[in-house]
Amino acid sequence: TLLDVCLSLPKTHLPTLLVSSATIVLLIAAKELNSFLSTKLLLPLPVELITIVAATLISSTAHLNNNYSVSVVGEIPSGLSAPTVPNLSLFGEVVGDAFALAIVGYAVSISLGKTFALKHGYKVDSNQELVALGLSNAVGGFFQCFSVCSSMSRSLIQETTGGKTQMAGVASALVVLVTILKLGMLFQELPKAVLASIVIVNMKGMFKQYSDVYTLWRRSKIDLVVWLVTWVSTMLLNLDLGLAASIVFALFTVTFRTQMPTYSVLGNVPGTELYVDIETHREAREVPGVTIFRSSATVYFANAELYLEALKEKSGLDISKMIIYKRRQEAKQRRRERRAERRAKRQAKREKRAQKAATQHAEPPEFSVEQEEEAGGWRDTHIDMAAAEKEEHSWTERENGTVFVIPATPRMPDGCSRWEYLKGGDPDTTSLGWMSELQDGDTTTLGSSSEDTLSRDLEQVSLGSLGKWTWDIHSIILDLSTANFIDTVGIQTLKNIFRDFSEIDVDIYICGCQACVVEQLVLGDFFSETIRKQHLFVSVHDAVLHCLSHRGAALLPRYDPTLALQSGTKF
C-alpha cells in the first residue's frame, strides 16, 4: 500500500487535493477557535456537522462530481435487511479471518478505551468490553453486519466534539439510523475527500504520539524498541499480523529482562530492621557471618543457572571447586588410612614374631623346615618394611606441597600420637590458585587419641585451606520476596544449593516467600528430612536473628527510631 501511494503521487487529482486542503485548514481553524472560546460557550460548536452540511451543499450546487470528477459518496441504500440465520457452510472458510478480526478488534477497542480513560480519569473493565463486543457481533451476524469494533476515527471525533457519556453514543446511533432510513439520499453529493479530512484532523491526538519516541528514549530503551517494532510491523504487515508480531516481540523482551536481573547482597541499616543493597546504600552494613542474597526476578528454568552462578560470585564461595577439592582430600585420606592400616598389621606381625623369638631364646635351637620358612618370611618382612618406608618417603616428597596431616611424633604406648598441619601444594590441585596461602613455617598441632580422628582433622584442614571466607560465612539467606512463582527447575536449583553448601558447613535459609510460592515448594517435594520448613522465615530480619543465635554470634543492636531517621536521610 505504501509503495502504491508513493508511485501514484504524480497522478494526484488536483481538484480533490484542493477540496481536502481547504477542508483541513477550515477544520483546524474552527477547532482552535472552539478551544479558545470553550469557557464562554455552553456547548462546543459542531464543527464536523457544519462542515458536512456545507460541503454537501457546495458539491450539489457546483456539481463537483460531474464538472471536476471529485469522488462523492453516491447512493446510500436505505432501510434495514431482514434477519436471517448465518450460513454455517462458510464457517470453515472464514474461521481463520474471524479469529484474527476478533483479536485485532478487541485490541483496538481496549486500547482506545484505556487511552480515553487515562485522559478523563475513569476505569475500563476489559471483561465487560469483551462481552459487549461478543454480543454485538453475535446479534449483528443475523443482519449481515460488518464485524463490530470500536472506530478510532469516530471515537476521536466524538471525544473532540465533547461527547463524554453513553448518551452521546445513543444520539450518534439514532442519527445513523435516521440517515439509513430517510436521510441517505441527502448526502449522496458529499465529497469523500471531506470525510477523509474530518478523520485526519481528528486523529491529530494520535499523531502527537510520535513525541513518545523522545520520551521513551530517555526513560526506557526497551520500551522504545517495542514501540518501534510495533509501528514498523503494523505498517508493513497490516494490523493483524503486525499486532501478532509486536506481541511476540514484547514477550521476548520480558524473557530477556528476566535473563538479566539485578543480583545484590543485602546489609542491615544500623539500629533498624531494614535490609538494603550494600552497593547502593552506604549506611548498610553486612551482618557478620551471614550473606543475604536477593534477585530482582523470580527463579525459573530460564535463569536458574544464572541465579546459582550469581550466588557463588556474591558469596565468594565457588562451591563447585570447593567440593571437588574436598573429594580429592577425602580420597587421599582413604589411601593414607589404608596405608596406616597395612603398617599397623605389619607392626603387629613383627611384635608377635619378636615375642615368639624371645620365648624360644631360652630353648636350644633346633633347625626345622618351619624355622627356615619363618626366617625367609622374616626377611620378606624386612623387605616389605623397606618398601613401605620408601613408599612413605616417596609419598612425602610427592605431596609435600599440599596442606595435609602427618604424624609429628611416634605413636606412644598408650596409642596416642600428635598430628601436625603443614603447608604445601599438590600438583593435582595446582588449578586451585584461589586457595589462601599460609605463611611459611606456620604449623598447628592437635592431640589425637586414635586414628579415627585423622579423617576429621584432615577434613577441617581441607576446608580451612580453601580460604579464610569459609570461616567468615556460616549462613546464607535467600530472599525470595520478589518471586511470584517457582517452577520445577527452580525448585531443583534450590535443592542443589542446600545440598552443596551443607557439605562445607554453610547453612541455607529462605525468607520472604509468598503463600503461592510456599505452596509450589510443597507440591514440588522441596521439603525433606534435610530441608525442613524450619528453614523458612517470614522476613529477612527473623532469618538473621536465627542465624546469629544458632551460631552463637552477637545479636544485632536493638531498633532505634532516631537512628533510623538519621540513616534514612543518607541513602
Side-chain angles (χ1 to χ4, degrees):
T1 302
L2 293 176
L3 181 62
D4 290 341
V5 168
C6 295
L7 293 177
S8 300
L9 287 178
K11 304 176 183 179
T12 300
H13 190 242
L14 294 180
T16 304
L17 177 62
L18 180 61
V19 172
S20 300
S21 302
T23 304
I24 291 175
V25 171
L26 292 176
L27 282 173
I28 293 177
K31 282 184 172 295
E32 292 297 330
L33 181 62
N34 204 2
S35 177
F36 179 75
L37 299 176
S38 60
T39 57
K40 300 180 180 181
L41 298 176
L42 296 178
L43 293 175
L45 296 176
V47 179
E48 288 80 6
L49 180 60
I50 296 175
T51 302
I52 290 175
V53 173
T56 303
L57 293 176
I58 294 174
S59 175
S60 177
T61 304
H63 303 286
L64 296 181
N65 184 24
N66 296 329
N67 297 335
Y68 302 99
S69 299
V70 176
S71 179
V72 296
V73 173
E75 182 181 359
I76 299 177
S78 60
L80 298 175
S81 60
T84 57
V85 178
N87 188 0
L88 298 180
S89 61
L90 300 176
F91 181 79
E93 300 178 8
V94 301
V95 61
D97 294 335
F99 182 77
L101 285 175
I103 297 297
V104 174
Y106 176 72
V108 172
S109 298
I110 198 65
S111 298
L112 283 174
K114 289 186 176 181
T115 300
F116 294 133
L118 183 64
K119 183 176 180 180
H120 298 287
Y122 61 88
K123 184 179 180 181
V124 177
D125 188 350
S126 57
N127 292 328
Q128 185 178 358
E129 288 290 327
L130 188 60
V131 172
L133 286 175
L135 289 176
S136 300
N137 283 287
V139 174
F142 292 94
F143 294 90
Q144 293 81 47
C145 294
F146 287 104
S147 177
V148 177
C149 173
S150 298
S151 171
M152 181 181 298
S153 57
R154 287 178 54 83
S155 300
L156 290 171
I157 291 173
Q158 181 171 298
E159 193 267 339
T160 54
T161 54
K164 296 181 179 180
T165 65
Q166 293 180 344
M167 291 304 299
V170 173
S172 176
L174 290 176
V175 171
V176 172
L177 179 62
V178 172
T179 302
I180 291 176
L181 295 178
K182 298 297 182 180
L183 302 180
M185 56 180 300
L186 300 179
F187 296 97
Q188 292 182 0
E189 295 297 325
L190 176 63
K192 292 181 179 179
V194 175
L195 294 176
S197 300
I198 293 175
V199 172
I200 292 296
V201 171
N202 283 278
M203 291 183 67
K204 180 181 65 173
M206 290 296 171
F207 291 140
K208 286 183 177 180
Q209 290 187 359
Y210 283 103
S211 62
D212 293 346
V213 174
Y214 176 72
T215 303
L216 293 175
W217 173 262
R218 292 187 294 107
R219 295 180 179 178
S220 175
K221 302 296 190 301
I222 295 180
D223 291 341
L224 174 61
V225 174
V226 173
W227 193 98
L228 293 176
V229 169
T230 303
W231 181 77
V232 173
S233 60
T234 303
M235 292 289 292
L236 299 181
L237 303 177
N238 211 342
L239 191 58
D240 50 356
L241 295 179
L243 181 61
S246 61
I247 291 175
V248 171
F249 183 79
L251 294 176
F252 172 76
T253 60
V254 172
T255 305
F256 174 75
R257 279 189 259 196
T258 59
Q259 291 277 359
M260 300 181 64
T262 301
Y263 299 105
S264 56
V265 175
L266 306 185
N268 175 253
V269 178
T272 70
E273 298 181 3
L274 300 177
Y275 293 85
V276 293
D277 189 356
I278 60 176
E279 294 183 359
T280 58
H281 298 79
R282 59 185 180 183
E283 292 295 325
R285 298 291 182 268
E286 271 194 273
V287 180
V290 180
T291 296
I292 308 170
F293 179 74
R294 182 175 66 187
S295 170
S296 61
T298 187
V299 184
Y300 71 114
F301 71 94
N303 62 1
E305 187 68 23
L306 299 175
Y307 184 87
L308 180 58
E309 294 297 327
L311 177 60
K312 294 178 183 179
E313 179 182 355
K314 293 293 184 179
S315 64
L317 302 177
D318 196 335
I319 189 66
S320 302
K321 291 184 178 181
M322 295 171 72
I323 292 178
I324 292 174
Y325 181 68
K326 183 179 179 181
R327 297 286 185 271
R328 291 179 178 177
Q329 295 298 319
E330 289 175 349
K332 292 178 183 180
Q333 174 59 23
R334 287 192 293 269
R335 291 195 298 268
R336 294 166 188 168
E337 289 179 350
R338 286 195 296 268
R339 286 195 292 267
E341 183 179 357
R342 289 197 298 268
R343 287 196 296 269
K345 289 181 180 180
R346 288 195 294 268
Q347 181 66 22
K349 289 181 179 180
R350 288 196 297 269
E351 292 177 356
K352 184 177 180 180
R353 292 192 184 96
Q355 184 179 3
K356 186 176 181 181
T359 56
Q360 292 178 354
H361 182 69
E363 300 178 359
E366 295 181 2
F367 180 77
S368 65
V369 177
E370 295 178 356
Q371 289 179 350
E372 182 178 0
E373 292 177 355
E374 184 178 352
W378 194 76
R379 288 192 299 270
D380 294 340
T381 301
H382 275 284
I383 295 174
D384 293 341
M385 291 176 60
E389 292 177 357
K390 182 177 181 181
E391 180 184 0
E392 183 176 357
H393 179 69
S394 174
W395 170 75
T396 303
E397 290 181 351
R398 182 175 64 254
E399 298 187 343
N400 63 356
T402 189
V403 178
F404 56 87
V405 179
I406 63 172
T409 59
R411 181 181 296 275
M412 301 302 178
D414 58 356
C416 297
S417 61
R418 294 181 64 80
W419 302 88
E420 189 175 58
Y421 292 178
L422 297 180
K423 174 250 181 194
D426 185 6
D428 296 335
T429 61
T430 53
S431 61
L432 304 178
W434 43 269
M435 294 189 304
S436 65
E437 295 292 339
L438 302 177
Q439 297 295 327
D440 292 338
D442 288 349
T443 60
T444 306
T445 59
L446 294 175
S448 178
S449 59
S450 65
E451 293 182 359
D452 295 337
T453 60
L454 177 61
S455 178
R456 295 196 301 271
D457 294 339
L458 182 61
E459 182 179 2
Q460 184 178 2
V461 175
S462 56
L463 290 180
S465 63
L466 294 176
K468 64 178 182 179
W469 23 259
T470 56
W471 304 113
D472 290 344
I473 296 177
H474 55 72
S475 302
I476 294 179
I477 299 175
L478 304 179
D479 183 7
L480 299 185
S481 58
T482 58
N484 56 356
F485 75 95
I486 186 169
D487 60 359
T488 55
V489 178
I491 292 175
Q492 187 60 42
T493 301
L494 293 180
K495 285 184 178 180
N496 294 339
I497 291 174
F498 272 84
R499 181 197 61 201
D500 294 342
F501 280 90
S502 64
E503 293 200 23
I504 60 171
D505 197 27
V506 174
D507 299 331
I508 302 295
Y509 300 96
I510 298 176
C511 69
C513 292
Q514 302 181 31
C516 59
V517 176
V518 176
E519 183 179 355
Q520 292 168 359
L521 291 175
V522 174
L523 295 177
D525 296 330
F526 175 73
F527 300 101
S528 61
E529 295 182 358
T530 57
I531 306 176
R532 302 178 181 273
K533 284 193 174 181
Q534 285 75 7
H535 290 89
L536 288 180
F537 292 89
V538 176
S539 65
V540 177
H541 189 66
D542 293 337
V544 170
L545 293 180
H546 174 79
C547 294
L548 297 180
S549 61
H550 179 65
R551 288 288 185 164
L555 296 180
L556 294 173
R558 301 189 59 144
Y559 174 74
D560 185 359
T562 306
L563 184 58
L565 292 175
Q566 294 176 355
S567 301
T569 58
K570 298 180 180 179
F571 286 170

